[in-house]
Amino acid sequence: WGGDEMVALLTGDFDEQAMRERIYTYLATAQSGKPYEITASIGVVTVKPSELVSLDEITKASDKLMYDEKQRKRKMRTN
């Protein structure tokens, strides 16, 4: 089954791990009582305003992190 890819562009100072956990907590709450499973692989990238990074570079970095996580989860399921 395929899924949707989404991007959230946020301003402010965020801890990447805390943001990831917050999203997973929200998804677990949304899952409650549903007859189907909600899963996600998340790539979080933070960039300081002083860093000169293009949106394309940010997108590629977060996409790589997301796919890396997806691969780790697949390996865990097969082991």
Side-chain angles (χ1 to χ4, degrees), residues 10 14-24 42 44:
L10 309 171
F14 295 98
D15 174 84
E16 293 175 3
Q17 183 62 30
M19 181 56 66
R20 190 179 294 108
E21 291 303 320
R22 187 172 177 184
I23 294 167
Y24 281 128
I42 300 169
V44 177

Side-chain angles (χ1 to χ4, degrees):
W1 295 87
D4 295 321
E5 290 191 28
M6 292 172 252
V7 173
L9 185 58
L10 309 171
T11 61
D13 189 19
F14 295 98
D15 174 84
E16 293 175 3
Q17 183 62 30
M19 181 56 66
R20 190 179 294 108
E21 291 303 320
R22 187 172 177 184
I23 294 167
Y24 281 128
T25 299
Y26 173 80
L27 292 175
T29 302
Q31 170 71 46
S32 182
K34 304 287 189 304
Y36 49 83
E37 183 178 15
I38 298 173
T39 62
S41 295
I42 300 169
V44 177
V45 174
T46 56
V47 178
K48 293 182 170 99
S50 60
E51 295 179 81
L52 297 176
V53 181
S54 71
L55 185 56
D56 188 52
E57 290 172 299
I58 296 168
T59 303
K60 285 179 182 177
S62 62
D63 208 38
K64 180 183 181 330
L65 291 169
M66 181 202 54
Y67 280 106
D68 289 350
E69 182 174 326
K70 189 176 288 202
Q71 290 300 321
R72 277 192 302 276
K73 288 179 178 180
R74 284 183 182 149
K75 286 179 183 177
M76 287 174 43
R77 285 194 305 259
T78 59
N79 290 336

